[in-house]
Amino acid sequence: MDPSPHPLSQFVLKMHSRCDLACDHCYVFEHADQSWRGRPTVVSGEVLDLTARRIAEHARTHRLDTVHVVLHGGEPLLAGRERLRQAAQGLRTALAGVCALDLRIHTNGVTLDEKFCELFAEFDIKVGISLDGDRAANDLHRRYRNGRSSHARVLRAIALLNSPRYRHLFAGLLCTVDLRNDPVTVYDALAELAPPRIDFLLPHATWDDPPPRAPGTPSYGEWLLTVHDRWTAAGRPMGVRVLDSVLRTLRGASSLTESLGLAPVELAVIETDGALEQADSLKTAYDGAPGTGMDVRANSLDEMAVHPGIVARQQGLDGLCGTCRACPVVRSCGGGLYAHRYRSGSGDGAFMNPSVYCADLKQLITGIRDREAQQMPTPHLPLDDVRLDEIASGLGGADAVHLLARHELGVNRELLAAVWRESAHDETGTAAWETLAVLDAEAPESVDAVLAHPYLRPWAQRALHGGEEAGRIAMRGVAELAAAALLRAGRAGTVTVPTGSGVLRLPTLGALVVGEATQAQVIGGADGSFTVRAGKRVHAVGPKSAADPAWLARHRFELPGWAVALEDTDPWRDAHGYPVRERLSSAAAEEWRHDLAAAWEWIRRELPAYAPGLAAGLSVVTPLREASAGADISSAARDAFGAVGIARPGTPETLACLLVHEFQHVKLGAVLDLADLYDPACAQLFYAPWRPDPRPLEGLLQGTYAHIAVVDYWAARRRTADGAEAFDAEVRFARWREQTAEAVDTLAGSGALTALGERFVRAMGETVSTRLTDPVSPDALVSARRTAAHHKGRAAPAGDRSWRHG
């Protein structure tokens, strides 16, 4: 049989076919399909083994990157820890070397305890909990058979998942909408539990058995729009799957749920007896609706994938009725959930109907669409208008840069979570992650200090996309971060860290040479001291111990109003695109300290508007290798907020120029992480006045923004220099202000800027315009234009950052 063009990648594996609650809205037990009555109570080991092999076979055939498996029921916890372990172990073993496994469990939570959580942590099983709101809302449906409330036990389960040890397992909450419940009260009750995601579910219904709509209650669309408004007013603190899906589909992206959007459904259910079935939601249509007549013992998943019921849900627009195809919101709605379209008496067309929630879905989608259209262009920026305009002008005070830094820290946290989620965990990495989670709850400022390290992002990207060595890089990095956070917190404890290239890396602190030792135990002590056991050697490091020559402490300088470190040990510091200097000698570090102090003093005196932002956002200077020709070299990596790379120049004044110039790129990179200033689909190339080759729009934007600082630097040098140096500075000032103004005009006329981008470039232009009014001598102006024409006609020499940017 030919394989389906849409292979299956999502599987619901039924672990237990009974439940310890008696929820009256349950589609498994309370709707039309009653097949549960004839199924085994618990899935057998044989079915688990066959299922794992079938999934691996299917994934290998279709070269899937990831398969998603949900352990389900009934109530899956009733299957017991050993049966759940067997399922997880079987899937992990079968898929090893084939593809990644995203393994989850959906539970009512009433019997969840630490032993279950330890099992889930061992196999990285994410846990979703069903909860319908506060106690009053939850008790409408989710009770024991004797009528007793389940609410308190569910809250206890959620508190366990929210503990630092298990927080990484918490997948979110599932809430079934009941119109009798106040939407704000329900949302607030769920949001108070700080879930990473909330999934609001419409109660399963069909045209034969419509959803309940009590007199005086809102429509389902109104109910969800009220949640949307509350969620948005709170700053959208967590994902809400149905709302996020509407927002995504309105932008043309994919949905996060099968109940919205036109993406093909790639889901199969394996029942406790091994039967291969379609989605459980079909149980609400008629008895036997999910059935396919297939079984894991006799049928492959390739056969399952071409079953007519599966194929019918992979046709996109062609699989919808005429009413849906003609609807203006069909690409967001997608016809709604397949089961909700059922109407008996129409033969083969029983599902070729609009959703029974058609009006509600249209109301929800158009309501969100209209609300988004009415919002300001920057609804989710952490910068207010004043601070955004500060940065757009080319400057940006301490408050504005602190807000950028806070957002970049959030990005780093998300990347770290992604590394953990996507990587295979070993015992050492798991222990380190648990230490990091505890510290994050008890000493968050220490964890923040480590996670704000500029070179966390290059490490995370390598861990996520590093091929065969990615897992090793990920687990070592997690351990390094945990050890550094432990030491910064001054806590007693031990973190075992795998070592690479004979070096133990402690981000933000330094590095220890450990030779051939493959791992090291970092043991926290008091007063900033710590001990490292690596192989047979013990290193004591700290203010009260003798200097250990193996310890390569970070060079950190406390200058007036600015704390800055020289980074010469971190292996990820090569993100700047230039060769980095090896470990500096004490004498070389002292030379750097002297020049940085002099450059900083010059900036504070001559460029005072740049100093507060630089002090707030630039924490690391990475020494680069000097060019043989003596050209000045500097760079800012797009993914290393807070750091610049510089080859030590000949004078402190030149160092001052490189610092303010490169920090412009640091700031703008953070702004571009926050908001789209231009259409990312723009493929047109643009000429910068300072180089002969055309550049992408972002390159021109970066170069123009950075050269605002260059213009101001040469204006300051013009004021402070004498004789020939003063004339040279005047020429450079005249050249750069004209070329920067020309670049602003090119940006403004590009036709590719967003509304926010137009505002940003307009503010840049206003700054440059004020520089154009400063008088310049005719001789300097002629010389400036001659120099500009000369450089525009030839390639920029390697290392000359004054026109390589952009």
Side-chain angles (χ1 to χ4, degrees):
M1 180 174 289
D2 292 334
S4 166
H6 298 292
L8 304 173
S9 62
Q10 303 170 34
F11 304 94
V12 172
L13 177 54
K14 296 299 187 73
M15 299 299 301
H16 202 278
S17 63
R18 304 296 188 271
C19 190
D20 41 8
L21 295 183
C23 308
D24 58 14
H25 56 13
C26 179
Y27 56 85
V28 175
F29 303 112
E30 302 298 331
H31 283 257
D33 183 270
Q34 292 291 297
S35 58
W36 64 273
R37 297 181 183 276
R39 300 199 191 279
T41 302
V42 184
V43 67
S44 68
E46 176 204 14
V47 168
L48 291 178
D49 292 343
L50 280 170
T51 297
R53 291 207 296 271
R54 292 293 193 195
I55 292 175
E57 172 187 70
H58 192 68
R60 186 180 294 107
T61 298
H62 297 281
R63 298 181 179 180
L64 299 180
D65 294 327
T66 305
V67 297
H68 308 268
V69 180
V70 177
L71 306 179
H72 212 282
E75 169 48 49
L77 296 188
L78 293 179
R81 285 185 292 276
E82 289 311 309
R83 192 55 52 92
L84 291 171
R85 174 184 293 278
Q86 183 180 1
Q89 184 66 66
L91 289 164
R92 292 277 179 211
T93 301
L95 291 168
V98 177
C99 69
L101 171 64
D102 173 25
L103 187 56
R104 297 171 182 258
I105 189 167
H106 286 176
T107 172
N108 59 37
V110 296
T111 59
L112 186 71
D113 58 17
E114 288 195 16
K115 291 181 179 179
F116 275 121
C117 287
E118 286 297 311
L119 172 66
F120 301 155
E122 179 182 349
F123 290 98
D124 192 28
I125 303 174
K126 302 300 189 293
V127 185
I129 299 284
S130 296
L131 180 69
D132 288 348
D134 60 355
R135 175 164 181 162
N138 201 64
D139 284 356
L140 282 178
H141 302 284
R142 306 188 59 78
R143 292 176 175 269
Y144 288 94
R145 297 188 189 285
N146 61 5
R148 185 164 51 93
S149 171
S150 65
H151 189 256
R153 285 186 174 273
V154 180
L155 292 190
R156 189 156 53 241
I158 293 169
L160 184 61
L161 287 173
N162 265 327
S163 66
R165 186 176 183 86
Y166 304 123
R167 174 69 185 181
H168 66 286
L169 301 176
F170 193 9
L173 301 175
L174 295 85
C175 171
T176 300
V177 175
D178 188 315
L179 298 180
R180 294 172 293 177
N181 295 323
D182 176 64
V184 170
T185 301
V186 169
Y187 170 81
D188 287 350
L190 299 178
E192 187 178 359
L193 300 173
R197 181 179 295 280
I198 301 174
D199 197 2
F200 289 102
L201 308 175
L202 295 173
H204 287 313
T206 69
W207 289 102
D208 289 2
D209 185 15
R213 300 179 187 271
T217 61
S219 68
Y220 288 93
E222 290 169 336
W223 199 97
L224 288 171
L225 279 173
T226 302
V227 169
H228 168 274
D229 294 345
R230 185 71 165 185
W231 174 60
T232 299
R236 301 180 179 177
M238 78 292 289
V240 176
R241 192 163 68 153
V242 64
L243 303 180
D244 284 327
S245 293
V246 172
L247 290 166
R248 286 171 60 88
T249 54
L250 286 171
R251 297 194 302 265
S254 61
S255 172
L256 302 173
T257 170
E258 65 171 316
S259 62
L260 291 168
L262 291 169
V265 173
E266 301 172 350
L267 172 71
V269 177
I270 300 93
E271 288 284 356
T272 55
D273 59 358
L276 290 170
E277 294 205 336
Q278 301 176 70
D280 270 351
S281 56
L282 287 170
K283 294 179 183 295
T284 199
Y286 58 88
D287 197 18
T292 65
M294 299 185 189
D295 186 282
V296 290
R297 298 175 182 85
N299 302 100
S300 70
L301 290 173
D302 277 4
E303 292 176 278
M304 174 67 175
V306 294
H307 182 275
I310 298 290
V311 174
R313 306 172 69 193
Q314 299 182 335
Q315 304 304 308
L317 276 173
D318 292 340
L320 302 179
C321 68
T323 301
C324 290
R325 289 198 300 272
C327 180
V329 300
V330 65
R331 295 193 178 277
S332 285
C333 172
L337 193 67
Y338 189 74
H340 296 171
R341 307 174 201 166
Y342 178 74
R343 187 195 299 268
S344 63
S346 48
D348 293 340
F351 291 95
M352 288 296 286
N353 305 292
S355 168
V356 72
Y357 290 104
C358 177
D360 300 285
L361 293 174
K362 188 172 184 178
Q363 183 180 33
L364 173 64
I365 293 165
T366 57
I368 291 177
R369 180 198 64 196
D370 294 346
R371 284 160 168 78
E372 289 293 298
Q374 293 169 6
Q375 288 182 353
M376 295 294 290
T378 58
H380 306 308
L381 288 179
L383 300 170
D384 58 27
D385 289 347
V386 172
R387 291 186 176 91
L388 181 65
D389 289 340
E390 279 181 22
I391 293 173
S393 73
L395 301 171
D399 288 346
V401 175
H402 277 309
L403 289 171
L404 291 180
R406 188 183 308 165
H407 178 265
E408 294 297 289
L409 174 61
V411 172
N412 284 359
R413 282 182 167 273
E414 290 176 5
L415 278 171
L416 175 60
V419 168
W420 184 253
R421 183 172 61 250
E422 300 297 331
S423 303
H425 307 159
D426 58 22
E427 184 177 353
T428 298
T430 299
W433 181 266
E434 292 176 354
T435 297
L436 197 59
V438 170
L439 289 170
D440 199 23
E442 298 178 356
E445 67 288 344
S446 300
V447 176
D448 282 348
V450 174
L451 299 190
H453 180 47
Y455 299 117
L456 181 144
R457 202 175 301 187
W459 159 77
Q461 291 170 340
R462 183 68 178 278
L464 289 168
H465 308 294
E468 293 182 0
E469 63 177 357
R472 176 176 56 81
I473 290 171
M475 290 303 99
R476 183 169 74 230
V478 168
E480 291 166 343
L481 294 168
L486 178 73
L487 301 182
R488 292 188 72 101
R491 298 294 185 94
T494 301
V495 177
T496 300
V497 184
T499 56
S501 305
V503 175
L504 166 67
R505 167 183 175 253
L506 293 172
T508 73
L509 298 175
L512 184 74
V513 178
V514 296
E516 297 180 356
T518 58
Q519 66 178 28
Q521 286 187 312
V522 181
I523 306 167
D527 302 324
S529 64
F530 60 95
T531 302
V532 176
R533 300 182 184 275
K536 297 180 180 180
R537 295 200 59 185
V538 178
H539 302 267
V541 180
K544 295 184 179 180
S545 61
D548 188 327
W551 173 238
L552 310 178
R554 197 185 202 193
H555 309 288
R556 189 171 187 275
F557 309 134
E558 291 283 352
L559 306 179
W562 183 32
V564 62
L566 286 180
E567 183 58 80
D568 61 355
T569 63
D570 194 294
W572 305 105
R573 71 189 188 280
D574 61 358
H576 297 281
Y578 287 90
V580 296
R581 284 285 304 268
E582 298 302 322
R583 173 68 175 179
L584 299 176
S585 66
S586 297
E590 177 56 28
E591 290 172 347
W592 265 102
R593 187 204 65 76
H594 176 272
D595 285 358
L596 282 168
W600 175 237
E601 181 57 32
W602 195 92
I603 291 170
R604 294 177 73 198
R605 184 177 67 250
E606 305 299 340
L607 294 172
Y610 287 86
L614 189 146
L618 185 59
S619 59
V620 168
V621 173
T622 293
L624 303 177
R625 196 178 303 164
E626 292 81 0
S628 57
D632 294 324
I633 296 176
S634 63
S635 176
R638 179 69 169 79
D639 293 316
F641 178 84
V644 297
I646 296 177
R648 183 169 165 258
T651 68
E653 290 82 7
T654 301
L655 179 57
C657 179
L658 299 179
L659 287 169
V660 295
H661 178 188
E662 298 303 341
F663 189 59
Q664 294 291 91
H665 292 288
V666 172
K667 288 185 292 183
L668 183 55
V671 171
L672 290 172
D673 281 345
L674 279 167
D676 290 329
L677 300 186
Y678 62 91
D679 181 358
C682 176
Q684 183 180 350
L685 299 179
F686 300 85
Y687 281 96
W690 45 83
R691 57 185 301 157
D693 54 326
R695 307 292 293 157
L697 188 63
E698 182 175 344
L700 179 61
L701 179 61
Q702 282 277 5
T704 308
Y705 188 74
H707 279 100
I708 292 175
V710 173
V711 171
D712 286 346
Y713 169 79
W714 286 112
R717 285 296 303 274
R718 177 189 178 199
R719 292 192 306 268
T720 57
D722 297 317
E725 288 188 3
F727 180 74
D728 178 66
E730 185 178 29
V731 170
R732 291 175 183 263
F733 168 68
R735 172 194 171 190
W736 289 120
R737 71 176 185 175
E738 287 198 354
Q739 291 192 319
T740 306
E742 182 182 342
V744 168
D745 289 342
T746 302
L747 288 168
S750 68
L753 298 176
T754 63
L756 181 61
E758 291 176 353
R759 171 180 161 189
F760 198 92
V761 169
R762 188 163 53 249
M764 291 168 57
E766 290 169 357
T767 297
V768 176
S769 294
T770 63
R771 305 325 187 238
L772 291 172
T773 61
D774 289 354
V776 173
S777 69
D779 289 345
L781 191 59
V782 169
S783 182
R785 290 173 178 171
R786 184 183 301 120
T787 303
H790 173 67
H791 284 303
K792 186 183 290 188
R794 67 180 177 87
D800 191 336
R801 300 305 291 179
S802 63
W803 60 79
R804 276 180 64 87
H805 271 308

